[in-house]
Amino acid sequence: MTVFHFFNCAILTFGPHAVYYSATPLSEYDTLWTSIRAAVVYLVTALVKLVCLATFLNVSDSDTFDPYQELLKALFGFIDVAGLYFALTQLTHRNISQNHKFQAVGLGWAFADSVLHRLAPLWVGARGLEFTWDYIFQGLEANANLVFSISLAALGSLIWLRKNKPKTLIPIIYACAGIVATMPSITSYLRRGLGWHLPKVVGFELFSSLLIAFISWQLFVACQRPSN
Amino acid sequence: MANCQRRPAPLDPIYYPLLTLLFILFTCVDLYDAVTVVDVYRLVQFDISSVPFGSRLATLNHHAASSLFGSDLSRSVIILPVRELDLDLIKEYIGQGKLLGGLLLLLPPHFSPEKVDAAVGIDEDFDLLRNKVSELERLLIHANIPYPVYFAFENDDINAVLDEVKRNDASGQPATATTGGYKLLVAASDPKKIASPTITNIQGWLPGLKLEGDSTQLPTIAIVASYDTFGVAPALSVGSDSNGSGVVALLEIARLFSILYSNPKTRGRYNLLFGLTSGGPYNYNGTQKWLRSFDQRLRESIDYAICLNSLGSLGNELHLHISKPPENKYIQQIFQGLSSVAEESGLQVGLKHKKINISSPRVAWEHEQFSRLRLTAATISELSTAPELLESTGSLSDNRHSVSEASVIRSVKVVAESVARHIYSQEGKGTNIFADNSSLAVNPSYVRSWLNLLSTTSRVAPFLSKNDPLIMALQKELADHTTEVSIQHETLDGTFTFYDSISGRLHVYQVVSVTFDLLLLLVLGSYLITLFSFLIITTRGLDDLISLFRRPPSR
């Protein structure tokens, strides 16, 4: 029965990635390699971030919110952005339209993130006899994370790959990108500083991910209009 | 990329049932904390002449239930607090041999052997509870129970689990595989017979003063106590009174006499033999084997033996149990000696005569083993009647709180004084050898520390290995007080067979029902299908979605 639960949580955590790949035109244009390369870049970025965090951060046992530590963590979060930049611009892609590029990169990024952060706890924990809601919430978080990654990739591609952007929209684009990049710090502040419980935090993540997705979609459409 | 903004109309109605399903899911299972783990102690499993007794299984893996009423309890573990136990119901249940998945009995925390320091007020409720526990023990020891029975101590975690189980049962939703609830798991291997259980006798010898040129054997006085116990839960059988108090008394008497005998000027003209025997609950099997191992000279030199049994409860009466007729002059001598000393301490000593039946294997008192070999012996005990087989040998309620240090000290004084007066021929002369506030006074902290130690060590003989720390400790202590210590390892009488696995850890899991898992699968499946359809429609158009279901035209 508990392997059943593991299976359920696994399809909640990793299913949407597979569904996204097969449902959108990504599968038609064979962008699998792009996603895989983006996943590898994520792995390298995660490693670099780990080393930096280990070197500069002092680990405290208490679960309280320390502004200085959180600021440091947010700064290191921008290493993520650098990694994404690298994936978007430097990797040689075959002639894939920009639309598909950012989606593939975002997908690969989110998939690597889910596997790295959520597979191990799932395998170890969800197969036990004891039932907790944690793994289901973790799956929902993975879904929110997918939307965030694709939005960030979209905003990133807007910033770095699109040359002619309407001047008014540029600050909004940068602002949105900044919010998405610091989202991990925001959620950890909510969890520790304000003491929100897991369901509330996950709810907030889902809601904000949909909001950001909508905003970045609108921005993308707006930036596309001049070239149309 | 086609930017379709229209909301796909046919999908809307699906969302509402999905939401209600999710809501039902959330209310089905309460959010709860992680696993609870408790130490549990198994009911003893033994055979007497191949007749099985006790609980015959050890592995437990069933859902929890809280009452004996209910359908199909053969796949549930019933959790019953002993405080609220209905003895008649249990008797009926066990007597009729009804099958359960398992039984978990919760004992109040002050029965725990580890709670040595907590003071317990002696009140009526406590006495009633002790009687209830004794009756329960008697019932369980003499029954053959084909499912696992475990004892545990109440604590906050397990009480919370029990409350929750009671609530679920009351609402008509008993825990089974299809409805979820709590699952109790004790991982244990099949209980195996303990092959050749050893019983270990420890003896200490204090030789008396032999004058030069005197080749005759000095007479010997033996002081004996059996140190092992037997109870309904072997891991909890500490037997503070039966017979921890006897062991402590023996050690203290040995210590006092070793002081006297260390100086040749005060050494008596009697040898002293101290014996800590095992196998007490099993018709004093160890004593019998120990006596059989004596050589002829030693056996002939024994003047008399005093056996100590249960000296720890408050009361003003001690009983001297004998099997030789009371008119026997040696018995009278011992009795007079004891009475006169006892009177000085405000105690009464009564004489109780019980004939021994040579043909019956039942040996109710330790002195009977001596009497069978025609040696003069008597047992001093607070118990007035002979206990039945496997009773009064370390029950659950016999822990540190049921023993009074003052009683033990008083008994030590009486026995030691009467023996010493006999050795030094001081009867009736008004001397007080072990007077209070002298260097030979009974040491209360010695008594207290040994009582505490014995009250936290379970001592069921088949589960004590040859080199058990307790046996080593007793040996070392006797070696401190006597000149010669020897250990004798024997095998327990074959009529008693014991099985291992006396304790374990109980894991309590909150599990969900199969329906929950299936429901969740349904929800997730529909979520993924919805997501798929949504993405296809928004990125490729509705036509593509429909074309997925239409067979491609044959080429």
Side-chain angles (χ1 to χ4, degrees):
Chain A
M1 257 340 111
T2 53
V3 182
F4 199 161
H5 188 61
F6 166 75
F7 176 72
N8 279 346
C9 294
I11 62 177
L12 177 61
T13 315
F14 302 111
H17 300 86
V19 165
Y20 193 91
Y21 184 79
S22 55
T24 58
L26 288 179
S27 51
E28 280 175 24
Y29 291 93
D30 195 20
T31 50
L32 190 63
W33 267 119
T34 317
S35 299
I36 292 175
R37 268 180 278 189
V40 171
V41 174
Y42 179 85
L43 273 159
V44 175
T45 317
L47 220 64
V48 171
K49 223 168 77 166
L50 198 72
V51 171
C52 290
L53 280 173
T55 321
F56 294 110
L57 227 53
N58 8 332
V59 179
S60 66
D61 284 330
S62 63
D63 216 14
T64 54
F65 183 75
D66 184 0
Y68 180 63
Q69 305 291 344
E70 294 302 323
L71 201 62
L72 268 178
K73 281 193 205 162
L75 277 172
F76 290 133
F78 281 99
I79 297 179
D80 264 339
V81 182
L84 206 56
Y85 168 79
F86 179 79
L88 276 173
T89 57
Q90 303 298 352
L91 294 178
T92 51
H93 303 293
R94 295 174 303 165
N95 41 349
I96 309 169
S97 84
Q98 210 175 68
N99 275 352
H100 299 143
K101 193 193 286 187
F102 84 77
Q103 283 182 59
V105 169
L107 189 66
W109 196 263
F111 187 71
D113 180 87
S114 283
V115 167
L116 223 58
H117 289 142
R118 295 186 187 96
L119 185 61
L122 203 59
W123 178 252
V124 169
R127 284 184 312 139
L129 268 180
E130 173 84 359
F131 174 79
T132 51
W133 285 103
D134 288 347
Y135 299 106
I136 296 181
F137 286 127
Q138 205 182 50
L140 292 174
E141 237 186 307
N143 278 288
N145 194 272
L146 173 63
V147 181
F148 273 134
S149 300
I150 294 184
S151 314
L152 189 58
L155 293 169
S157 82
L158 276 185
I159 296 173
W160 298 306
L161 295 178
R162 189 167 288 274
K163 301 306 170 194
N164 43 341
K165 297 184 278 268
K167 295 294 177 208
T168 47
L169 292 177
I170 293 182
I172 307 180
I173 295 175
Y174 278 98
C176 279
I179 292 175
V180 179
T182 54
M183 192 48 74
S185 304
I186 297 176
T187 44
S188 94
Y189 170 69
L190 289 175
R191 201 169 297 173
R192 306 213 188 130
L194 292 181
W196 280 19
H197 291 306
L198 194 56
K200 239 170 151 182
V201 174
V202 172
F204 169 77
E205 279 182 4
L206 284 170
F207 173 73
S208 51
S209 68
L210 290 172
L211 194 66
I212 295 273
F214 181 72
I215 293 175
S216 40
W217 180 36
Q218 292 299 325
L219 283 171
F220 207 83
V221 167
C223 290
Q224 257 188 319
R225 262 192 235 121
S227 51
N228 266 0
Chain B
M1 176 169 110
N3 287 323
C4 302
Q5 284 218 1
R6 54 189 172 99
R7 230 47 182 77
L11 287 175
D12 267 341
I14 294 182
Y15 284 96
Y16 294 111
L18 264 178
L19 282 172
T20 37
L21 260 177
L22 272 171
F23 184 74
I24 293 173
L25 274 176
F26 269 76
T27 50
C28 269
V29 182
D30 292 347
L31 264 83
Y32 221 75
D33 270 347
V35 173
T36 306
V37 184
V38 218
D39 285 321
V40 289
Y41 311 97
R42 195 169 78 102
L43 180 63
V44 66
Q45 180 181 358
F46 65 105
D47 300 337
I48 299 183
S49 310
S50 307
V51 178
F53 292 102
S55 153
R56 311 306 292 180
L57 290 179
T59 322
L60 193 66
N61 187 350
H62 287 302
H63 288 86
S66 67
S67 85
L68 285 171
F69 303 107
S71 52
D72 196 24
L73 291 172
S74 67
R75 296 190 57 79
S76 320
V77 179
I78 322 272
I79 307 180
L80 294 173
V82 172
R83 247 195 272 250
E84 305 159 4
L85 200 57
D86 182 355
L87 268 175
D88 298 320
L89 189 59
I90 289 271
K91 264 189 223 173
E92 203 189 295
Y93 222 83
I94 293 182
Q96 290 172 3
K98 292 199 193 143
L99 196 62
L100 293 175
L103 191 58
L104 179 67
L105 294 163
L106 295 179
L107 299 164
H110 53 74
F111 275 75
S112 164
E114 283 151 32
K115 295 237 157 59
V116 175
D117 303 323
V120 174
I122 310 295
D123 56 356
E124 241 186 54
D125 281 339
F126 188 60
D127 273 342
L128 276 173
L129 191 58
R130 285 183 68 178
N131 289 342
K132 198 190 259 194
V133 169
S134 309
E135 256 209 79
L136 180 67
E137 285 187 40
R138 216 169 300 140
L139 172 67
L140 290 174
I141 287 181
H142 297 295
N144 178 6
I145 303 176
Y147 44 84
V149 179
Y150 279 97
F151 290 90
F153 293 105
E154 285 176 8
N155 64 14
D156 293 330
D157 296 329
I158 203 99
N159 282 340
V161 168
L162 182 60
D163 287 336
E164 187 75 23
V165 173
K166 278 188 184 161
R167 240 180 293 155
N168 281 344
D169 278 355
S171 71
Q173 228 193 1
T176 57
T178 46
T179 53
Y182 285 94
K183 199 156 203 210
L184 302 181
L185 183 76
V186 177
S189 50
D190 269 338
K192 286 184 278 296
K193 263 190 217 189
I194 296 183
S196 326
T198 38
I199 44 177
T200 308
N201 298 320
I202 310 167
Q203 79 178 40
W205 176 256
L206 257 184
L209 187 67
K210 251 188 143 152
L211 300 172
E212 283 128 41
D214 190 1
S215 59
T216 55
Q217 174 80 327
L218 285 176
T220 309
I221 297 180
I223 300 185
V224 197
S226 86
Y227 67 86
D228 70 328
T229 58
F230 176 87
V232 72
L236 297 175
S237 189
V238 293
S240 300
D241 200 13
S242 308
N243 188 14
S245 56
V247 173
V248 174
L250 185 145
L251 289 176
E252 178 63 4
I253 295 173
R255 187 189 72 87
L256 291 172
F257 275 102
S258 79
I259 301 177
L260 274 175
Y261 273 46
S262 55
N263 186 346
K265 294 206 190 111
T266 51
R267 199 173 296 164
R269 307 216 39 229
Y270 278 80
N271 298 320
L272 283 172
L273 177 63
F274 296 97
L276 284 169
T277 57
S278 181
Y282 323 113
N283 296 324
Y284 293 100
N285 198 242
T287 318
Q288 180 192 45
K289 297 199 156 113
W290 183 51
L291 290 174
R292 293 256 158 86
S293 74
F294 283 1
D295 64 18
Q296 189 69 354
R297 278 199 354 148
L298 176 57
R299 203 182 302 175
E300 279 172 5
S301 76
I302 291 186
D303 209 16
Y304 66 90
I306 301 246
C307 308
L308 307 170
N309 184 344
S310 308
L311 301 167
S313 73
L314 289 166
N316 284 329
E317 208 174 341
L318 279 181
H319 302 277
L320 189 68
H321 297 268
I322 51 175
S323 38
K324 292 204 168 170
E327 308 80 47
N328 183 299
K329 67 171 176 171
Y330 298 111
I331 298 286
Q332 279 300 316
Q333 212 174 44
I334 302 171
F335 180 57
Q336 293 306 331
L338 273 170
S339 308
S340 56
V341 180
E343 259 162 42
E344 292 164 25
S345 309
L347 270 181
Q348 289 258 35
V349 179
L351 204 55
K352 287 252 152 123
H353 176 230
K354 176 177 174 293
K355 284 212 183 88
I356 49 177
N357 185 351
I358 304 267
S359 50
S360 135
R362 172 75 188 127
V363 177
W365 295 109
E366 197 160 11
H367 71 266
E368 293 184 16
Q369 292 288 15
F370 285 85
S371 303
R372 283 170 190 230
L373 294 174
R374 308 221 182 286
L375 297 168
T376 311
T379 304
I380 297 192
S381 175
E382 79 214 356
L383 301 169
S384 54
T385 49
E388 298 294 325
L389 180 66
L390 301 178
E391 271 184 36
S392 292
T393 52
S395 70
L396 278 177
S397 44
D398 190 358
N399 54 19
R400 183 68 179 88
H401 306 302
S402 57
V403 166
S404 139
E405 213 171 279
S407 272
V408 177
I409 293 175
R410 213 174 35 181
S411 316
V412 167
K413 266 194 83 181
V414 167
V415 175
E417 191 74 33
S418 66
V419 170
R421 285 188 194 177
H422 180 82
I423 292 179
Y424 299 106
S425 311
Q426 294 292 316
E427 279 106 335
K429 293 191 188 157
T431 36
N432 205 354
I433 303 176
F434 300 110
D436 295 334
N437 302 322
S438 71
S439 61
L440 287 172
V442 177
N443 186 346
S445 38
Y446 186 83
V447 170
R448 191 178 315 133
S449 62
W450 273 98
L451 264 182
N452 285 349
L453 173 67
L454 290 172
S455 302
T456 51
T457 327
S458 67
R459 310 188 289 283
V460 182
F463 304 108
L464 289 177
S465 65
K466 279 191 190 165
N467 301 318
D468 199 82
L470 176 76
I471 296 179
M472 299 282 107
L474 288 173
Q475 182 195 6
K476 183 177 170 303
E477 195 63 20
L478 264 188
D480 280 347
H481 302 318
T482 57
T483 15
E484 243 179 77
V485 168
S486 65
I487 290 205
Q488 181 198 17
H489 297 292
E490 296 280 348
T491 317
L492 182 62
D493 176 19
T495 43
F496 293 91
T497 326
F498 286 86
Y499 294 78
D500 63 4
S501 179
I502 55 176
S503 65
R505 307 212 80 198
L506 175 74
H507 297 262
V508 181
Y509 297 104
Q510 173 154 39
V511 291
V512 293
S513 53
V514 177
T515 28
F516 175 79
D517 278 328
L518 287 171
L519 221 55
L520 189 63
L521 184 64
L522 202 67
V523 167
L524 290 176
S526 28
Y527 164 67
L528 285 177
I529 291 174
T530 321
L531 188 67
F532 187 77
S533 321
F534 176 71
L535 286 171
I536 283 196
I537 290 172
T538 49
T539 54
R540 290 196 252 188
L542 187 57
D543 301 331
D544 270 344
L545 176 65
I546 298 174
S547 70
L548 271 178
F549 294 104
R550 209 165 284 154
R551 214 182 287 262
S554 52
R555 297 182 193 227

